[in-house]
Amino acid sequence: MDDTSGVGVLDKAASVLGALEAGPATLAQLVSSTGLARPTAHRLAVALEHHRLVARDMQGRFVLGPRLNELATAAGEDRLLAAANPVLTALRDHTGESAQLYRRQGDHRVCVAAAERPVGLRDSIPVGATLTMHAGSAAQVLLAWEEPDRLHRGLREAVFTATILSGVRRRGWAQSVSERELGVASVSAPVRGPSGRVVASVSVSGPVERLTRQPGRLHSAAVVAAANRLTEVLRRAGHGTVGPRPRSVRSWLTGQLRSPTREA
């Protein structure tokens, strides 16, 4: 079967990436495995390196780059959005508060899914809303497990501190009271991709009058259980297996809440 696309430069670039799938390669090894002329192989490998699709190891050999892992994670996160609605709905129904899913985009976080409290006073965050990374429990979660340099940059304008983030990492969840908006409290927990990297944050939020000034004591167990549910969805997607059916979400969440959680 002809495996060419008709776009020569893309076919050649694909052959370079395909060769690196087997492991690190010198330029001479790339030439041998792809059949490309040496100048062509070098030019393509360097161009792919510029786009982070190819990188170099300690010996200067070409290897697959970090951008490929980021793209694979993004593809897996499509599963995350598909699974988010039933999980957030179950979380809302259990806590009686609005539930959200946030992803980080640069210096902001974006609400990518939500289940609103149907009646009464609520903290309404529409899907697509862009919020700061400087305040709120979801921002704490999305920053707490970052690399040190990025974490320290994120703290420069944040209302929370490095000590607070240390507590978030220790407990596995975050809480905030009147950080993002006066009178609003929230609890958040991390969703992790197959590599273990934090890729999203599950949150519940509402007025301090209902959530109190220690909202984690009320809702951290439910929020952590929901986040773990979505982490499991991504883990199964990363291993090519099928996750549990959405109809089991509520019973699964209830089962996870039978064990007590640690207080703030």
Side-chain angles (χ1 to χ4, degrees):
M1 181 178 68
D2 186 5
D3 60 357
T4 61
S5 68
V7 182
V9 67
L10 292 180
D11 292 337
K12 292 173 183 177
S15 71
V16 170
L17 295 173
L20 294 178
E21 186 178 1
T26 64
L27 178 58
Q29 290 169 329
L30 278 182
V31 170
S32 175
S33 58
T34 63
L36 298 172
R38 186 181 181 91
T40 300
H42 182 262
R43 183 172 66 252
L44 288 172
V46 170
L48 291 168
E49 184 180 12
H50 174 77
H51 291 287
R52 300 173 62 243
L53 295 167
V54 165
R56 308 276 186 124
D57 66 9
M58 296 296 292
Q59 288 76 46
R61 298 174 298 179
F62 294 105
V63 296
L64 293 175
R67 182 61 179 149
L68 293 171
N69 183 62
E70 293 167 2
L71 291 171
T73 298
E77 287 174 6
D78 289 341
R79 300 279 187 93
L80 174 62
L81 289 181
N85 285 334
V87 171
L88 293 180
T89 298
L91 180 60
R92 178 202 63 195
D93 293 346
H94 181 85
T95 62
E97 303 296 344
S98 299
Q100 305 90 26
L101 180 70
Y102 294 97
R103 284 178 178 166
R104 182 171 184 176
Q105 289 188 5
D107 294 330
H108 298 86
R109 54 186 168 103
V110 178
C111 179
V112 295
E116 292 293 345
R117 191 173 191 264
V119 295
L121 189 61
R122 61 186 180 180
D123 180 39
S124 181
I125 306 293
V127 173
T130 300
L131 303 178
T132 178
M133 280 291 295
H134 301 153
S137 63
Q140 293 176 29
V141 163
L142 293 171
L143 188 61
W145 284 273
E146 286 282 11
E147 294 296 326
D149 288 347
R150 197 173 187 188
L151 187 153
H152 292 148
R153 287 196 302 270
L155 283 171
R156 289 174 185 169
E157 299 182 46
V159 301
F160 45 80
T161 65
T163 300
I164 288 175
L165 295 190
S166 178
V168 171
R169 290 190 294 272
R170 174 176 52 82
R171 292 191 307 264
W173 53 268
Q175 65 179 356
S176 67
V177 177
S178 296
E179 272 192 12
R180 175 180 60 82
E181 184 177 341
L182 188 65
V184 172
S186 66
V187 183
S188 299
V191 178
R192 298 180 182 274
S195 67
R197 183 173 66 89
V198 174
V199 297
S201 173
V202 170
S203 304
V204 294
S205 59
V208 176
E209 287 81 0
R210 283 201 307 266
L211 272 71
T212 77
R213 300 197 66 81
Q214 291 291 330
R217 292 181 177 177
L218 294 177
H219 299 313
S220 61
V223 174
V224 168
N228 287 345
R229 174 71 172 193
L230 293 177
T231 294
E232 178 67 10
V233 169
L234 294 185
R235 186 190 69 81
R236 289 173 176 268
H239 288 83
T241 57
V242 178
R245 295 179 180 178
R247 64 179 174 82
S248 67
V249 169
R250 187 170 285 102
S251 59
W252 183 90
L253 179 61
T254 301
Q256 293 299 305
L257 294 174
R258 290 174 182 167
S259 58
T261 184
R262 295 172 62 181
E263 295 185 352

